[in-house]
Amino acid sequence: EVQLQQSGAELGKPGTSVKLSCKVSGYNIRNTYMHWVNQRPGKGLEWIGRIDPANGNTIYAEKFKSKATLTADTSSNTAYMQLSQLKSDDTAIYFCAMDYSVNWFAYWGQGTLVTVSS
Amino acid sequence: EIVLTQSPTTMAASPGEKVTITCRASSSVSYMHWFQQKSGTSPKPWIYDTSKLASGVPDRFSGSGSGTSYSLTISSMEAEDAATYYCLQRSSYPLTFGSGTKLEIK
């Protein structure tokens, strides 16, 4: 069974960084893409970017190019997203999602709430 | 960037009623994908490649469309279908989601 387990809630001060993790079990992440999506309070889904863990290649949505950094550790089967220069409007739930075969976003993590507050 | 416009934004349907949610793309896309999200939970893949139901999705759901116009249809609304539905295009980067359609039961 494929499972994505995300790290716990984060409280970050403005101007600081946080690093979220997404550990995958039941599937080798070298064989797929890992995506990150956010959802601000009461709002819709927003694609941040994706990483190919096999080679580290990344693609970002323009607005997140200087905000998010995606990495992956194939030895631990874990994807990471670092959010930098936190601002109040970075407060959101952040989901990781994994492609599986031809099904993109086939599996999702439970989400990590990031709250930015001084 | 391809912008996806969903309509309606919110709607309520009675049990047994037919429901149609539309998703219009600002440029032509090859396929449309749909997700269901219930409050406080992660989105679930619901329909992929325009018309293929994800595992476990009831067959009262269907998807159709091409080019810039796509739709998700429920043939007969049930209470468990109340949720927010999002469309997604993956024809070009950046991937984009529609703004969502909140479907409630009357």
Side-chain angles (χ1 to χ4, degrees):
Chain A
E1 180 190 7
V2 177
Q3 291 188 323
L4 279 62
Q5 182 65 40
Q6 295 188 236
S7 49
E10 298 271 2
L11 174 60
K13 295 187 186 303
T16 65
S17 299
V18 293
K19 190 171 185 178
L20 314 184
S21 66
C22 173
K23 183 169 178 59
V24 178
S25 58
Y27 195 75
N28 190 333
I29 64 171
R30 293 183 62 91
N31 299 324
T32 189
Y33 290 162
M34 298 295 298
H35 301 265
W36 291 85
V37 174
N38 79 356
Q39 187 166 39
R40 293 185 170 86
K43 302 298 184 183
L45 304 173
E46 187 173 29
W47 182 77
I48 295 169
R50 71 97 170 129
I51 184 168
D52 180 347
N55 55 29
N57 287 347
T58 53
I59 300 177
Y60 297 91
E62 187 66 34
K63 68 179 288 189
F64 290 102
K65 283 184 177 177
S66 58
K67 170 64 62 180
T69 302
L70 306 185
T71 57
D73 178 359
T74 55
S75 67
S76 63
N77 226 35
T78 302
Y80 298 92
M81 178 174 67
Q82 179 163 315
L83 299 171
S84 62
Q85 290 297 313
L86 291 174
K87 300 184 293 186
S88 58
D89 71 351
D90 293 323
T91 294
I93 297 173
Y94 291 84
F95 296 100
C96 59
M98 189 187 90
D99 294 343
Y100 183 79
S101 183
V102 297
N103 300 330
W104 286 36
F105 299 86
Y107 297 96
W108 292 67
Q110 81 276 22
T112 295
L113 174 63
V114 174
T115 304
V116 182
S117 174
S118 55
Chain B
E1 171 175 325
I2 296 177
V3 176
L4 301 182
T5 303
Q6 285 186 236
S7 60
T9 302
T10 62
M11 68 175 298
S14 301
E17 186 177 348
K18 181 178 181 179
V19 172
T20 298
I21 297 169
T22 65
C23 180
R24 289 193 165 79
S26 59
S27 300
S28 182
V29 298
S30 301
Y31 298 100
M32 194 61 71
H33 313 276
W34 296 88
F35 295 83
Q36 181 197 68
Q37 187 181 31
K38 295 191 175 182
S39 183
T41 68
S42 305
K44 294 180 180 178
W46 212 245
I47 297 174
Y48 65 97
D49 291 351
T50 301
S51 59
K52 300 174 183 175
L53 301 185
S55 177
V57 174
D59 62 7
R60 61 181 176 274
F61 284 85
S62 63
S64 64
S66 64
T68 61
S69 184
Y70 292 84
S71 64
L72 176 157
T73 299
I74 308 172
S75 60
S76 178
M77 176 75 180
E78 295 195 11
E80 67 177 14
D81 302 334
T84 301
Y85 294 87
Y86 295 92
C87 53
L88 165 79
Q89 69 80 23
R90 59 175 175 97
S91 290
S92 67
Y93 287 106
L95 307 187
T96 48
F97 287 94
S99 54
T101 295
K102 185 174 184 179
L103 174 60
E104 299 173 327
I105 188 81
K106 280 185 186 174

